[in-house]
PDB file of all heavy atoms in Angstrom:
ATOM      1  N   ASP A   1      65.727  78.314  28.850  1.00  0.00           N
ATOM      2  CA  ASP A   1      67.144  77.909  28.949  1.00  0.00           C
ATOM      3  C   ASP A   1      67.769  78.018  27.499  1.00  0.00           C
ATOM      4  O   ASP A   1      67.135  78.268  26.550  1.00  0.00           O
ATOM      5  CB  ASP A   1      67.252  76.565  29.646  1.00  0.00           C
ATOM      6  CG  ASP A   1      66.735  75.432  28.785  1.00  0.00           C
ATOM      7  OD1 ASP A   1      66.322  75.685  27.672  1.00  0.00           O
ATOM      8  OD2 ASP A   1      66.680  74.254  29.250  1.00  0.00           O
ATOM      9  N   GLU A   2      69.121  77.653  27.494  1.00  0.00           N
ATOM     10  CA  GLU A   2      69.816  77.708  26.202  1.00  0.00           C
ATOM     11  C   GLU A   2      69.373  76.634  25.213  1.00  0.00           C
ATOM     12  O   GLU A   2      69.679  76.795  23.997  1.00  0.00           O
ATOM     13  CB  GLU A   2      71.430  77.498  26.483  1.00  0.00           C
ATOM     14  CG  GLU A   2      71.737  76.121  27.063  1.00  0.00           C
ATOM     15  CD  GLU A   2      71.571  75.950  28.591  1.00  0.00           C
ATOM     16  OE1 GLU A   2      71.107  77.043  29.251  1.00  0.00           O
ATOM     17  OE2 GLU A   2      71.848  74.931  29.142  1.00  0.00           O
ATOM     18  N   LYS A   3      68.591  75.675  25.643  1.00  0.00           N
ATOM     19  CA  LYS A   3      68.103  74.663  24.693  1.00  0.00           C
ATOM     20  C   LYS A   3      66.648  75.066  24.259  1.00  0.00           C
ATOM     21  O   LYS A   3      66.111  74.277  23.526  1.00  0.00           O
ATOM     22  CB  LYS A   3      68.062  73.286  25.375  1.00  0.00           C
ATOM     23  CG  LYS A   3      69.454  72.795  25.722  1.00  0.00           C
ATOM     24  CD  LYS A   3      69.352  71.359  26.336  1.00  0.00           C
ATOM     25  CE  LYS A   3      70.747  70.911  26.703  1.00  0.00           C
ATOM     26  NZ  LYS A   3      70.727  69.523  27.314  1.00  0.00           N
ATOM     27  N   GLY A   4      66.133  76.201  24.601  1.00  0.00           N
ATOM     28  CA  GLY A   4      64.767  76.703  24.152  1.00  0.00           C
ATOM     29  C   GLY A   4      63.683  75.991  24.957  1.00  0.00           C
ATOM     30  O   GLY A   4      62.558  76.014  24.493  1.00  0.00           O
ATOM     31  N   ARG A   5      63.910  75.406  26.144  1.00  0.00           N
ATOM     32  CA  ARG A   5      62.931  74.884  26.925  1.00  0.00           C
ATOM     33  C   ARG A   5      62.496  75.880  28.071  1.00  0.00           C
ATOM     34  O   ARG A   5      63.390  76.675  28.571  1.00  0.00           O
ATOM     35  CB  ARG A   5      63.363  73.541  27.581  1.00  0.00           C
ATOM     36  CG  ARG A   5      63.611  72.476  26.513  1.00  0.00           C
ATOM     37  CD  ARG A   5      64.326  71.309  27.184  1.00  0.00           C
ATOM     38  NE  ARG A   5      63.501  70.667  28.190  1.00  0.00           N
ATOM     39  CZ  ARG A   5      62.687  69.635  28.007  1.00  0.00           C
ATOM     40  NH1 ARG A   5      62.440  69.289  26.767  1.00  0.00           N
ATOM     41  NH2 ARG A   5      61.995  69.133  28.978  1.00  0.00           N
ATOM     42  N   ALA A   6      61.300  75.813  28.444  1.00  0.00           N
ATOM     43  CA  ALA A   6      60.765  76.685  29.494  1.00  0.00           C
ATOM     44  C   ALA A   6      61.212  76.233  30.913  1.00  0.00           C
ATOM     45  O   ALA A   6      61.290  75.031  31.187  1.00  0.00           O
ATOM     46  CB  ALA A   6      59.226  76.672  29.563  1.00  0.00           C
ATOM     47  N   ILE A   7      61.661  77.210  31.713  1.00  0.00           N
ATOM     48  CA  ILE A   7      62.138  76.839  33.022  1.00  0.00           C
ATOM     49  C   ILE A   7      60.959  77.106  34.045  1.00  0.00           C
ATOM     50  O   ILE A   7      60.548  78.227  34.230  1.00  0.00           O
ATOM     51  CB  ILE A   7      63.348  77.787  33.424  1.00  0.00           C
ATOM     52  CG1 ILE A   7      64.520  77.552  32.399  1.00  0.00           C
ATOM     53  CG2 ILE A   7      63.885  77.474  34.874  1.00  0.00           C
ATOM     54  CD1 ILE A   7      65.672  78.514  32.650  1.00  0.00           C
ATOM     55  N   ILE A   8      60.590  76.039  34.714  1.00  0.00           N
ATOM     56  CA  ILE A   8      59.474  76.068  35.673  1.00  0.00           C
ATOM     57  C   ILE A   8      60.023  76.059  37.072  1.00  0.00           C
ATOM     58  O   ILE A   8      60.708  75.093  37.495  1.00  0.00           O
ATOM     59  CB  ILE A   8      58.519  74.910  35.504  1.00  0.00           C
ATOM     60  CG1 ILE A   8      58.054  74.843  33.992  1.00  0.00           C
ATOM     61  CG2 ILE A   8      57.352  75.071  36.426  1.00  0.00           C
ATOM     62  CD1 ILE A   8      57.357  76.077  33.488  1.00  0.00           C
ATOM     63  N   THR A   9      59.818  77.176  37.873  1.00  0.00           N
ATOM     64  CA  THR A   9      60.420  77.274  39.167  1.00  0.00           C
ATOM     65  C   THR A   9      59.295  77.015  40.303  1.00  0.00           C
ATOM     66  O   THR A   9      59.696  76.975  41.466  1.00  0.00           O
ATOM     67  CB  THR A   9      61.067  78.617  39.353  1.00  0.00           C
ATOM     68  OG1 THR A   9      60.003  79.648  39.082  1.00  0.00           O
ATOM     69  CG2 THR A   9      62.197  78.803  38.486  1.00  0.00           C
ATOM     70  N   ALA A  10      58.100  76.905  40.000  1.00  0.00           N
ATOM     71  CA  ALA A  10      57.011  76.617  40.987  1.00  0.00           C
ATOM     72  C   ALA A  10      55.871  75.916  40.356  1.00  0.00           C
ATOM     73  O   ALA A  10      55.544  76.120  39.182  1.00  0.00           O
ATOM     74  CB  ALA A  10      56.575  77.996  41.637  1.00  0.00           C
ATOM     75  N   GLY A  11      55.226  75.015  41.137  1.00  0.00           N
ATOM     76  CA  GLY A  11      54.047  74.373  40.651  1.00  0.00           C
ATOM     77  C   GLY A  11      54.135  72.924  40.300  1.00  0.00           C
ATOM     78  O   GLY A  11      53.116  72.263  40.138  1.00  0.00           O
ATOM     79  N   LEU A  12      55.348  72.448  40.216  1.00  0.00           N
ATOM     80  CA  LEU A  12      55.595  71.045  39.871  1.00  0.00           C
ATOM     81  C   LEU A  12      56.485  70.352  40.907  1.00  0.00           C
ATOM     82  O   LEU A  12      57.321  70.957  41.557  1.00  0.00           O
ATOM     83  CB  LEU A  12      56.282  70.943  38.505  1.00  0.00           C
ATOM     84  CG  LEU A  12      55.536  71.401  37.306  1.00  0.00           C
ATOM     85  CD1 LEU A  12      56.372  71.330  36.038  1.00  0.00           C
ATOM     86  CD2 LEU A  12      54.240  70.633  37.078  1.00  0.00           C
ATOM     87  N   LYS A  13      56.233  69.091  41.146  1.00  0.00           N
ATOM     88  CA  LYS A  13      57.017  68.221  41.960  1.00  0.00           C
ATOM     89  C   LYS A  13      58.122  67.462  41.200  1.00  0.00           C
ATOM     90  O   LYS A  13      59.139  67.018  41.813  1.00  0.00           O
ATOM     91  CB  LYS A  13      56.101  67.259  42.682  1.00  0.00           C
ATOM     92  CG  LYS A  13      55.119  67.826  43.600  1.00  0.00           C
ATOM     93  CD  LYS A  13      54.336  66.828  44.335  1.00  0.00           C
ATOM     94  CE  LYS A  13      53.263  67.402  45.316  1.00  0.00           C
ATOM     95  NZ  LYS A  13      52.482  66.339  45.930  1.00  0.00           N
ATOM     96  N   GLY A  14      57.895  67.211  39.985  1.00  0.00           N
ATOM     97  CA  GLY A  14      58.873  66.515  39.147  1.00  0.00           C
ATOM     98  C   GLY A  14      58.420  65.110  38.695  1.00  0.00           C
ATOM     99  O   GLY A  14      59.039  64.483  37.852  1.00  0.00           O
ATOM    100  N   ASP A  15      57.382  64.580  39.360  1.00  0.00           N
ATOM    101  CA  ASP A  15      56.960  63.239  38.943  1.00  0.00           C
ATOM    102  C   ASP A  15      55.650  63.244  38.134  1.00  0.00           C
ATOM    103  O   ASP A  15      55.019  62.131  37.944  1.00  0.00           O
ATOM    104  CB  ASP A  15      56.840  62.368  40.230  1.00  0.00           C
ATOM    105  CG  ASP A  15      55.805  63.007  41.176  1.00  0.00           C
ATOM    106  OD1 ASP A  15      55.378  64.137  40.951  1.00  0.00           O
ATOM    107  OD2 ASP A  15      55.504  62.331  42.209  1.00  0.00           O
ATOM    108  N   GLU A  16      55.266  64.375  37.727  1.00  0.00           N
ATOM    109  CA  GLU A  16      53.926  64.422  37.013  1.00  0.00           C
ATOM    110  C   GLU A  16      54.127  64.108  35.529  1.00  0.00           C
ATOM    111  O   GLU A  16      55.287  64.055  35.016  1.00  0.00           O
ATOM    112  CB  GLU A  16      53.421  65.958  37.068  1.00  0.00           C
ATOM    113  CG  GLU A  16      53.031  66.457  38.376  1.00  0.00           C
ATOM    114  CD  GLU A  16      54.227  67.101  39.106  1.00  0.00           C
ATOM    115  OE1 GLU A  16      55.353  67.005  38.559  1.00  0.00           O
ATOM    116  OE2 GLU A  16      53.988  67.834  40.105  1.00  0.00           O
ATOM    117  N   GLN A  17      53.016  63.656  34.950  1.00  0.00           N
ATOM    118  CA  GLN A  17      52.953  63.379  33.492  1.00  0.00           C
ATOM    119  C   GLN A  17      52.237  64.608  32.900  1.00  0.00           C
ATOM    120  O   GLN A  17      51.070  64.870  33.152  1.00  0.00           O
ATOM    121  CB  GLN A  17      52.169  62.119  33.171  1.00  0.00           C
ATOM    122  CG  GLN A  17      53.026  60.877  33.603  1.00  0.00           C
ATOM    123  CD  GLN A  17      52.283  59.617  33.025  1.00  0.00           C
ATOM    124  OE1 GLN A  17      51.115  59.335  33.357  1.00  0.00           O
ATOM    125  NE2 GLN A  17      53.006  58.788  32.311  1.00  0.00           N
ATOM    126  N   ILE A  18      52.948  65.400  31.988  1.00  0.00           N
ATOM    127  CA  ILE A  18      52.499  66.652  31.502  1.00  0.00           C
ATOM    128  C   ILE A  18      52.118  66.433  30.037  1.00  0.00           C
ATOM    129  O   ILE A  18      52.792  65.752  29.274  1.00  0.00           O
ATOM    130  CB  ILE A  18      53.484  67.730  31.549  1.00  0.00           C
ATOM    131  CG1 ILE A  18      54.070  67.819  32.993  1.00  0.00           C
ATOM    132  CG2 ILE A  18      52.946  68.973  31.104  1.00  0.00           C
ATOM    133  CD1 ILE A  18      53.038  68.217  34.033  1.00  0.00           C
ATOM    134  N   ILE A  19      50.935  66.945  29.606  1.00  0.00           N
ATOM    135  CA  ILE A  19      50.498  66.909  28.280  1.00  0.00           C
ATOM    136  C   ILE A  19      51.281  67.866  27.419  1.00  0.00           C
ATOM    137  O   ILE A  19      51.441  69.043  27.766  1.00  0.00           O
ATOM    138  CB  ILE A  19      48.958  67.272  28.152  1.00  0.00           C
ATOM    139  CG1 ILE A  19      48.102  66.431  29.097  1.00  0.00           C
ATOM    140  CG2 ILE A  19      48.538  67.093  26.740  1.00  0.00           C
ATOM    141  CD1 ILE A  19      48.127  64.974  28.916  1.00  0.00           C
ATOM    142  N   LYS A  20      51.918  67.392  26.388  1.00  0.00           N
ATOM    143  CA  LYS A  20      52.752  68.275  25.525  1.00  0.00           C
ATOM    144  C   LYS A  20      52.156  68.483  24.106  1.00  0.00           C
ATOM    145  O   LYS A  20      52.708  69.289  23.382  1.00  0.00           O
ATOM    146  CB  LYS A  20      54.211  67.748  25.425  1.00  0.00           C
ATOM    147  CG  LYS A  20      54.392  66.475  24.572  1.00  0.00           C
ATOM    148  CD  LYS A  20      55.873  66.194  24.493  1.00  0.00           C
ATOM    149  CE  LYS A  20      56.072  64.966  23.543  1.00  0.00           C
ATOM    150  NZ  LYS A  20      57.467  64.653  23.314  1.00  0.00           N
ATOM    151  N   ALA A  21      51.161  67.664  23.724  1.00  0.00           N
ATOM    152  CA  ALA A  21      50.550  67.840  22.377  1.00  0.00           C
ATOM    153  C   ALA A  21      49.049  67.715  22.621  1.00  0.00           C
ATOM    154  O   ALA A  21      48.509  66.851  23.346  1.00  0.00           O
ATOM    155  CB  ALA A  21      50.999  66.771  21.467  1.00  0.00           C
ATOM    156  N   GLY A  22      48.331  68.708  22.043  1.00  0.00           N
ATOM    157  CA  GLY A  22      46.932  68.739  22.132  1.00  0.00           C
ATOM    158  C   GLY A  22      46.379  69.497  23.330  1.00  0.00           C
ATOM    159  O   GLY A  22      45.246  69.430  23.713  1.00  0.00           O
ATOM    160  N   VAL A  23      47.230  70.461  23.879  1.00  0.00           N
ATOM    161  CA  VAL A  23      46.938  71.181  25.071  1.00  0.00           C
ATOM    162  C   VAL A  23      45.785  72.159  24.807  1.00  0.00           C
ATOM    163  O   VAL A  23      44.972  72.504  25.783  1.00  0.00           O
ATOM    164  CB  VAL A  23      48.175  71.946  25.569  1.00  0.00           C
ATOM    165  CG1 VAL A  23      49.295  71.009  26.091  1.00  0.00           C
ATOM    166  CG2 VAL A  23      48.731  72.904  24.552  1.00  0.00           C
ATOM    167  N   ASN A  24      45.560  72.646  23.645  1.00  0.00           N
ATOM    168  CA  ASN A  24      44.543  73.642  23.417  1.00  0.00           C
ATOM    169  C   ASN A  24      43.164  73.038  23.178  1.00  0.00           C
ATOM    170  O   ASN A  24      42.162  73.769  23.019  1.00  0.00           O
ATOM    171  CB  ASN A  24      44.846  74.512  22.225  1.00  0.00           C
ATOM    172  CG  ASN A  24      46.094  75.364  22.448  1.00  0.00           C
ATOM    173  OD1 ASN A  24      46.291  75.930  23.539  1.00  0.00           O
ATOM    174  ND2 ASN A  24      47.054  75.440  21.472  1.00  0.00           N
ATOM    175  N   ALA A  25      43.006  71.748  23.126  1.00  0.00           N
ATOM    176  CA  ALA A  25      41.800  71.016  22.805  1.00  0.00           C
ATOM    177  C   ALA A  25      41.197  70.329  24.030  1.00  0.00           C
ATOM    178  O   ALA A  25      40.240  69.627  23.996  1.00  0.00           O
ATOM    179  CB  ALA A  25      41.998  70.039  21.682  1.00  0.00           C
ATOM    180  N   LEU A  26      41.810  70.587  25.270  1.00  0.00           N
ATOM    181  CA  LEU A  26      41.443  69.856  26.471  1.00  0.00           C
ATOM    182  C   LEU A  26      40.468  70.699  27.307  1.00  0.00           C
ATOM    183  O   LEU A  26      40.451  71.933  27.310  1.00  0.00           O
ATOM    184  CB  LEU A  26      42.701  69.441  27.290  1.00  0.00           C
ATOM    185  CG  LEU A  26      43.730  68.531  26.576  1.00  0.00           C
ATOM    186  CD1 LEU A  26      44.926  68.391  27.465  1.00  0.00           C
ATOM    187  CD2 LEU A  26      43.031  67.198  26.270  1.00  0.00           C
ATOM    188  N   GLN A  27      39.713  69.920  28.145  1.00  0.00           N
ATOM    189  CA  GLN A  27      38.727  70.507  29.098  1.00  0.00           C
ATOM    190  C   GLN A  27      39.097  69.884  30.499  1.00  0.00           C
ATOM    191  O   GLN A  27      39.622  68.814  30.592  1.00  0.00           O
ATOM    192  CB  GLN A  27      37.278  70.219  28.737  1.00  0.00           C
ATOM    193  CG  GLN A  27      36.864  70.756  27.386  1.00  0.00           C
ATOM    194  CD  GLN A  27      36.797  72.265  27.343  1.00  0.00           C
ATOM    195  OE1 GLN A  27      36.609  72.914  28.386  1.00  0.00           O
ATOM    196  NE2 GLN A  27      37.111  72.873  26.166  1.00  0.00           N
ATOM    197  N   GLU A  28      38.818  70.667  31.511  1.00  0.00           N
ATOM    198  CA  GLU A  28      39.027  70.227  32.888  1.00  0.00           C
ATOM    199  C   GLU A  28      38.394  68.839  33.214  1.00  0.00           C
ATOM    200  O   GLU A  28      37.151  68.751  32.789  1.00  0.00           O
ATOM    201  CB  GLU A  28      38.519  71.299  33.906  1.00  0.00           C
ATOM    202  CG  GLU A  28      38.900  71.076  35.347  1.00  0.00           C
ATOM    203  CD  GLU A  28      40.448  71.233  35.524  1.00  0.00           C
ATOM    204  OE1 GLU A  28      41.117  71.907  34.760  1.00  0.00           O
ATOM    205  OE2 GLU A  28      40.952  70.774  36.606  1.00  0.00           O
ATOM    206  N   ASN A  29      39.074  67.977  33.763  1.00  0.00           N
ATOM    207  CA  ASN A  29      38.532  66.604  34.140  1.00  0.00           C
ATOM    208  C   ASN A  29      38.199  65.755  32.913  1.00  0.00           C
ATOM    209  O   ASN A  29      37.505  64.714  33.106  1.00  0.00           O
ATOM    210  CB  ASN A  29      37.350  66.698  35.115  1.00  0.00           C
ATOM    211  CG  ASN A  29      37.786  67.297  36.413  1.00  0.00           C
ATOM    212  OD1 ASN A  29      38.800  66.943  37.001  1.00  0.00           O
ATOM    213  ND2 ASN A  29      36.965  68.188  36.990  1.00  0.00           N
ATOM    214  N   GLU A  30      38.605  66.187  31.780  1.00  0.00           N
ATOM    215  CA  GLU A  30      38.296  65.418  30.596  1.00  0.00           C
ATOM    216  C   GLU A  30      39.156  64.055  30.605  1.00  0.00           C
ATOM    217  O   GLU A  30      40.358  64.171  30.910  1.00  0.00           O
ATOM    218  CB  GLU A  30      38.563  66.182  29.355  1.00  0.00           C
ATOM    219  CG  GLU A  30      38.274  65.483  28.034  1.00  0.00           C
ATOM    220  CD  GLU A  30      38.468  66.425  26.818  1.00  0.00           C
ATOM    221  OE1 GLU A  30      38.969  67.549  26.972  1.00  0.00           O
ATOM    222  OE2 GLU A  30      38.160  65.922  25.652  1.00  0.00           O
ATOM    223  N   LYS A  31      38.641  63.029  30.125  1.00  0.00           N
ATOM    224  CA  LYS A  31      39.386  61.777  30.011  1.00  0.00           C
ATOM    225  C   LYS A  31      40.090  61.717  28.620  1.00  0.00           C
ATOM    226  O   LYS A  31      39.400  61.949  27.588  1.00  0.00           O
ATOM    227  CB  LYS A  31      38.490  60.575  30.192  1.00  0.00           C
ATOM    228  CG  LYS A  31      39.233  59.225  30.545  1.00  0.00           C
ATOM    229  CD  LYS A  31      38.273  58.251  31.064  1.00  0.00           C
ATOM    230  CE  LYS A  31      39.142  57.040  31.576  1.00  0.00           C
ATOM    231  NZ  LYS A  31      38.241  56.006  32.245  1.00  0.00           N
ATOM    232  N   VAL A  32      41.311  61.310  28.603  1.00  0.00           N
ATOM    233  CA  VAL A  32      42.147  61.374  27.360  1.00  0.00           C
ATOM    234  C   VAL A  32      42.713  60.052  27.068  1.00  0.00           C
ATOM    235  O   VAL A  32      42.835  59.161  27.944  1.00  0.00           O
ATOM    236  CB  VAL A  32      43.192  62.486  27.433  1.00  0.00           C
ATOM    237  CG1 VAL A  32      42.571  63.831  27.543  1.00  0.00           C
ATOM    238  CG2 VAL A  32      44.132  62.196  28.444  1.00  0.00           C
ATOM    239  N   ARG A  33      43.110  59.916  25.830  1.00  0.00           N
ATOM    240  CA  ARG A  33      43.894  58.726  25.364  1.00  0.00           C
ATOM    241  C   ARG A  33      45.182  59.094  24.947  1.00  0.00           C
ATOM    242  O   ARG A  33      45.364  59.984  24.092  1.00  0.00           O
ATOM    243  CB  ARG A  33      43.096  57.980  24.256  1.00  0.00           C
ATOM    244  CG  ARG A  33      43.810  56.733  23.787  1.00  0.00           C
ATOM    245  CD  ARG A  33      42.909  55.958  22.824  1.00  0.00           C
ATOM    246  NE  ARG A  33      42.516  56.771  21.673  1.00  0.00           N
ATOM    247  CZ  ARG A  33      43.220  56.951  20.605  1.00  0.00           C
ATOM    248  NH1 ARG A  33      44.389  56.329  20.485  1.00  0.00           N
ATOM    249  NH2 ARG A  33      42.846  57.727  19.568  1.00  0.00           N
ATOM    250  N   VAL A  34      46.239  58.439  25.465  1.00  0.00           N
ATOM    251  CA  VAL A  34      47.672  58.868  25.100  1.00  0.00           C
ATOM    252  C   VAL A  34      48.030  58.237  23.813  1.00  0.00           C
ATOM    253  O   VAL A  34      47.769  56.972  23.544  1.00  0.00           O
ATOM    254  CB  VAL A  34      48.632  58.377  26.165  1.00  0.00           C
ATOM    255  CG1 VAL A  34      49.995  58.698  25.833  1.00  0.00           C
ATOM    256  CG2 VAL A  34      48.275  58.943  27.555  1.00  0.00           C
ATOM    257  N   ILE A  35      48.595  59.009  22.855  1.00  0.00           N
ATOM    258  CA  ILE A  35      49.071  58.470  21.603  1.00  0.00           C
ATOM    259  C   ILE A  35      50.441  57.966  21.849  1.00  0.00           C
ATOM    260  O   ILE A  35      51.377  58.611  22.245  1.00  0.00           O
ATOM    261  CB  ILE A  35      49.202  59.657  20.555  1.00  0.00           C
ATOM    262  CG1 ILE A  35      47.702  60.210  20.410  1.00  0.00           C
ATOM    263  CG2 ILE A  35      49.738  59.114  19.297  1.00  0.00           C
ATOM    264  CD1 ILE A  35      47.735  61.409  19.393  1.00  0.00           C
ATOM    265  N   HIS A  36      50.632  56.662  21.582  1.00  0.00           N
ATOM    266  CA  HIS A  36      51.913  55.976  21.817  1.00  0.00           C
ATOM    267  C   HIS A  36      52.646  55.936  20.444  1.00  0.00           C
ATOM    268  O   HIS A  36      52.109  55.807  19.427  1.00  0.00           O
ATOM    269  CB  HIS A  36      51.709  54.609  22.287  1.00  0.00           C
ATOM    270  CG  HIS A  36      51.086  54.512  23.715  1.00  0.00           C
ATOM    271  ND1 HIS A  36      51.803  54.842  24.807  1.00  0.00           N
ATOM    272  CD2 HIS A  36      49.857  54.172  23.985  1.00  0.00           C
ATOM    273  CE1 HIS A  36      50.933  54.680  25.876  1.00  0.00           C
ATOM    274  NE2 HIS A  36      49.796  54.293  25.364  1.00  0.00           N
ATOM    275  N   THR A  37      53.960  56.161  20.541  1.00  0.00           N
ATOM    276  CA  THR A  37      54.837  56.115  19.352  1.00  0.00           C
ATOM    277  C   THR A  37      54.953  54.671  18.958  1.00  0.00           C
ATOM    278  O   THR A  37      55.213  53.816  19.728  1.00  0.00           O
ATOM    279  CB  THR A  37      56.181  56.802  19.663  1.00  0.00           C
ATOM    280  OG1 THR A  37      56.008  58.059  20.173  1.00  0.00           O
ATOM    281  CG2 THR A  37      57.085  56.819  18.453  1.00  0.00           C
ATOM    282  N   ASP A  38      54.939  54.473  17.579  1.00  0.00           N
ATOM    283  CA  ASP A  38      55.175  53.144  17.078  1.00  0.00           C
ATOM    284  C   ASP A  38      56.530  52.677  17.352  1.00  0.00           C
ATOM    285  O   ASP A  38      57.505  53.317  17.263  1.00  0.00           O
ATOM    286  CB  ASP A  38      54.915  53.111  15.532  1.00  0.00           C
ATOM    287  CG  ASP A  38      53.433  53.353  15.191  1.00  0.00           C
ATOM    288  OD1 ASP A  38      52.576  53.068  16.034  1.00  0.00           O
ATOM    289  OD2 ASP A  38      53.236  53.798  14.117  1.00  0.00           O
ATOM    290  N   ASN A  39      56.649  51.308  17.728  1.00  0.00           N
ATOM    291  CA  ASN A  39      57.941  50.735  17.900  1.00  0.00           C
ATOM    292  C   ASN A  39      58.675  50.706  16.531  1.00  0.00           C
ATOM    293  O   ASN A  39      58.071  50.347  15.467  1.00  0.00           O
ATOM    294  CB  ASN A  39      57.660  49.300  18.469  1.00  0.00           C
ATOM    295  CG  ASN A  39      59.112  48.709  18.909  1.00  0.00           C
ATOM    296  OD1 ASN A  39      59.914  48.455  18.102  1.00  0.00           O
ATOM    297  ND2 ASN A  39      59.083  48.451  20.199  1.00  0.00           N
ATOM    298  N   LYS A  40      59.953  50.867  16.587  1.00  0.00           N
ATOM    299  CA  LYS A  40      60.759  50.861  15.337  1.00  0.00           C
ATOM    300  C   LYS A  40      60.725  49.573  14.610  1.00  0.00           C
ATOM    301  O   LYS A  40      60.848  49.471  13.375  1.00  0.00           O
ATOM    302  CB  LYS A  40      62.199  51.280  15.689  1.00  0.00           C
ATOM    303  CG  LYS A  40      62.403  52.703  16.153  1.00  0.00           C
ATOM    304  CD  LYS A  40      63.872  53.012  16.394  1.00  0.00           C
ATOM    305  CE  LYS A  40      64.012  54.474  16.792  1.00  0.00           C
ATOM    306  NZ  LYS A  40      65.434  54.773  17.044  1.00  0.00           N
ATOM    307  N   THR A  41      60.452  48.426  15.396  1.00  0.00           N
ATOM    308  CA  THR A  41      60.474  47.133  14.734  1.00  0.00           C
ATOM    309  C   THR A  41      59.040  46.693  14.445  1.00  0.00           C
ATOM    310  O   THR A  41      58.780  45.635  13.970  1.00  0.00           O
ATOM    311  CB  THR A  41      61.070  46.103  15.636  1.00  0.00           C
ATOM    312  OG1 THR A  41      60.384  46.018  16.894  1.00  0.00           O
ATOM    313  CG2 THR A  41      62.555  46.452  15.881  1.00  0.00           C
ATOM    314  N   ASN A  42      58.018  47.584  14.791  1.00  0.00           N
ATOM    315  CA  ASN A  42      56.626  47.213  14.487  1.00  0.00           C
ATOM    316  C   ASN A  42      55.874  48.520  13.907  1.00  0.00           C
ATOM    317  O   ASN A  42      54.957  49.046  14.583  1.00  0.00           O
ATOM    318  CB  ASN A  42      55.984  46.764  15.830  1.00  0.00           C
ATOM    319  CG  ASN A  42      54.483  46.312  15.613  1.00  0.00           C
ATOM    320  OD1 ASN A  42      54.132  45.951  14.529  1.00  0.00           O
ATOM    321  ND2 ASN A  42      53.722  46.471  16.707  1.00  0.00           N
ATOM    322  N   VAL A  43      56.369  48.939  12.783  1.00  0.00           N
ATOM    323  CA  VAL A  43      55.867  50.112  12.157  1.00  0.00           C
ATOM    324  C   VAL A  43      54.380  49.908  11.858  1.00  0.00           C
ATOM    325  O   VAL A  43      54.075  48.882  11.136  1.00  0.00           O
ATOM    326  CB  VAL A  43      56.668  50.489  10.932  1.00  0.00           C
ATOM    327  CG1 VAL A  43      56.086  51.691  10.274  1.00  0.00           C
ATOM    328  CG2 VAL A  43      58.156  50.618  11.245  1.00  0.00           C
ATOM    329  N   GLY A  44      53.553  50.837  12.203  1.00  0.00           N
ATOM    330  CA  GLY A  44      52.150  50.758  11.930  1.00  0.00           C
ATOM    331  C   GLY A  44      51.350  49.879  12.896  1.00  0.00           C
ATOM    332  O   GLY A  44      50.143  49.731  12.802  1.00  0.00           O
TER     333      GLY A  44
END
């Protein structure tokens, strides 16, 4: 699209959680840990 994002027309329902960082280091059925962004009032 005009914002540089990929347009997906098949394969998704819309309620999934999609990995957007670290996609090349994953294996099928691998258990992962989500990196959470630090709160602005609790840096570090």
Side-chain angles (χ1 to χ4, degrees):
D1 66 8
E2 65 277 0
K3 297 181 180 179
R5 294 170 62 89
I7 302 174
I8 308 300
T9 56
L12 296 177
K13 295 180 180 179
D15 56 354
E16 298 91 346
Q17 289 188 305
I18 309 297
I19 309 297
K20 72 172 182 178
V23 295
N24 295 318
L26 297 176
Q27 300 292 329
E28 188 72 18
N29 295 318
E30 182 178 5
K31 196 164 187 176
V32 299
R33 179 173 58 88
V34 178
I35 299 175
H36 296 285
T37 304
D38 290 337
N39 191 294
K40 292 182 179 180
T41 60
N42 184 25
V43 178

